[in-house]
Amino acid sequence: MENVKVWILVIFVASSVLSVESVGLKDLKACNFRAVYNFGDSNSDTGGGSAAFWIAGLPPGETFFGRPVGRASDGRLIVDFIAEHLGLPYLSPYLDSIGTSFRHGANFAIGGSTIRPQNESMSLNGVSPFSLDVQIVQFDNFKVRTGYFYERGKAGHCHNLPRPKDFSKALYIFDIGQNDVAAGLRKKNDTDFHASVPDIVDQLAKAVQDLYEHGARTFWIHNTGPIGCLPVSLHYHDIRPEELDEQGCLKAQNAYCMEFNKKLKDRVTKLRAELPHAALTYVDIYAAKYELIGNAKKEGFVDAADICCGFHEDEIQVYCGHKQNINGTEIYAGSCENPSDYISWDGVHYSEAANHWVAQRIINGSFSDPPLPIRHACHKL
């Protein structure tokens, strides 16, 4: 059986390579993306959550920016490396009113966001009220108001705004869904989760359709990573050996992710038929991150279950950057000496080094369907 699985993987990879070669990648012009619009959660939040809910503080941001910038990492996120690769500035959060420029796009991602609105709260369990439908409304409002200033020639308002003609030439990224899966795990009701997945992916599809109707044409859609491999999942549970897979990840939690990802990929395939002028790329973030976790030492990282920032000892858990009084002693949960040695920044989010590793693999199309590099994502295979 294992040999059969290997051959299936070989055939899939080979067919992907052939499909690119048959088009002739060297004959495809690079897409001239004038802007990037991102919708997501904390994996791609570049400061929106901080603008909305809390004051950003160190140690997050210490490696690259040298100051708090509202990212859940020591430095750059995958979306930052995508912007760099496309020759564009880092995306300003839509909700950030200080020093923002939206000339080359905007980031609507907010930490804790879900695709489907949850009957929960940020204060209760970290669920953001800025679910995907709200983020899409924000974008629609942003686009309308941008057009208003350009139509009336209000030049003083336009230098930091995207040109109306650039919306159809932008790249639209979706990096959301992990918190929907996490909510299913938290509620511990398999039946309800299985029943909810089709609606969750349909709501993401509805968001894509809304953007398409407003002129968007190129979509880059991430699936969700392996939640069962997150150190926070492994540190907060009493785990039996049989619950773990060969990489030391929780099989049951990853099964939820894989179910969501399969349904999402199927829905993206349907969208290609429903939106004839759109180019939709499905990006297998799960496979990229799982490969990194499985080869942590080989790729120069410490054990994938190790956490850089935070205090996690003797069943005491203090979140990254926080303080807690334990038996009369104040504990500050600071960061490790060399964050670039770690895959996990804070137990939930990835370090800049790990984000860079993943970004390099997805930017070149290695984990994409169709297998086109991001610079060619506007083309349909």
Side-chain angles (χ1 to χ4, degrees), residues 348-366:
V348 176
H349 308 96
Y350 284 51
S351 68
E352 177 181 273
N355 284 326
H356 186 227
W357 191 98
V358 174
Q360 285 183 310
R361 272 71 182 176
I362 65 170
I363 281 170
N364 67 16
S366 296

Side-chain angles (χ1 to χ4, degrees), residues 124-140:
L124 177 65
N125 47 32
V127 174
S128 163
F130 296 96
S131 50
L132 182 57
D133 58 327
V134 176
Q135 294 181 27
I136 295 299
V137 168
Q138 290 176 330
F139 170 82
D140 290 342

Side-chain angles (χ1 to χ4, degrees), residues 27-317:
D27 299 323
L28 290 178
K29 289 182 63 176
C31 309
N32 183 22
F33 293 124
R34 305 288 182 84
V36 173
Y37 294 97
N38 183 75
F39 306 88
D41 52 33
S42 59
N43 290 306
S44 58
D45 181 352
T46 55
S50 173
F53 299 115
W54 64 82
I55 298 174
L58 290 171
E62 65 181 11
T63 295
F64 181 78
F65 299 98
R67 64 185 181 89
V69 289
R71 287 163 172 79
S73 180
D74 59 307
R76 289 163 288 184
L77 309 178
I78 291 172
V79 70
D80 293 315
F81 290 112
I82 288 175
E84 284 184 4
H85 182 75
L86 297 176
L88 298 174
Y90 301 133
L91 297 185
S92 291
Y94 173 71
L95 294 181
D96 194 351
S97 60
I98 306 297
T100 54
S101 172
F102 300 116
R103 186 68 168 182
H104 298 287
N107 193 356
F108 297 87
I110 301 286
S113 293
T114 54
I115 295 171
R116 191 164 77 158
Q118 302 287 317
N119 187 25
E120 298 176 299
S121 70
M122 177 65 75
S123 59
L124 177 65
N125 47 32
V127 174
S128 163
F130 296 96
S131 50
L132 182 57
D133 58 327
V134 176
Q135 294 181 27
I136 295 299
V137 168
Q138 290 176 330
F139 170 82
D140 290 342
N141 189 38
F142 174 79
K143 189 170 184 287
V144 169
R145 295 179 67 194
T146 298
Y148 171 86
F149 288 113
Y150 271 93
E151 286 170 8
R152 285 156 180 77
K154 296 180 180 293
H157 293 279
C158 295
H159 68 283
N160 280 333
L161 297 178
R163 292 165 294 193
K165 64 181 181 180
D166 289 347
F167 282 100
S168 62
K169 300 174 182 177
L171 175 67
Y172 293 81
I173 299 175
F174 286 81
D175 190 359
I176 191 167
Q178 179 169 312
N179 292 317
D180 295 86
V181 176
L185 290 166
R186 185 170 61 250
K187 294 170 183 176
K188 298 180 180 179
N189 188 319
D190 290 353
T191 301
D192 284 354
F193 175 75
H194 299 323
S196 72
V197 174
D199 182 57
I200 295 171
V201 298
D202 278 344
Q203 292 204 31
L204 190 147
K206 183 177 182 297
V208 172
Q209 290 165 330
D210 182 285
L211 294 173
Y212 180 84
E213 290 168 4
H214 286 82
R217 290 296 179 263
T218 304
F219 301 92
W220 183 265
I221 301 171
H222 295 184
N223 69 11
T224 197
I227 290 178
C229 299
L230 295 177
V232 70
S233 297
L234 303 173
H235 280 269
Y236 280 74
H237 294 82
D238 293 323
I239 299 170
R240 300 185 303 275
E242 60 269 22
E243 295 181 83
L244 302 175
D245 66 12
E246 64 274 13
Q247 305 302 348
C249 305
L250 286 163
K251 292 184 286 188
Q253 292 196 6
N254 280 350
Y256 268 46
C257 300
M258 288 186 282
E259 178 181 352
F260 169 82
N261 290 343
K262 182 183 184 305
K263 292 286 198 307
L264 177 62
K265 186 174 185 180
D266 291 344
R267 193 65 187 87
V268 170
T269 299
K270 286 182 63 179
L271 278 171
R272 293 191 180 113
E274 296 166 1
L275 310 177
H277 302 295
L280 294 107
T281 302
Y282 172 87
V283 185
D284 196 349
I285 291 291
Y286 182 102
K289 289 184 173 179
Y290 195 78
E291 180 176 309
L292 172 58
I293 289 162
N295 294 288
K297 300 288 181 66
K298 180 181 175 183
E299 296 296 333
F301 293 94
V302 298
D303 190 282
D306 291 345
I307 301 172
C308 173
C309 186
F311 184 88
H312 308 274
E313 294 181 14
D314 301 324
E315 299 184 357
I316 298 172
Q317 314 289 345

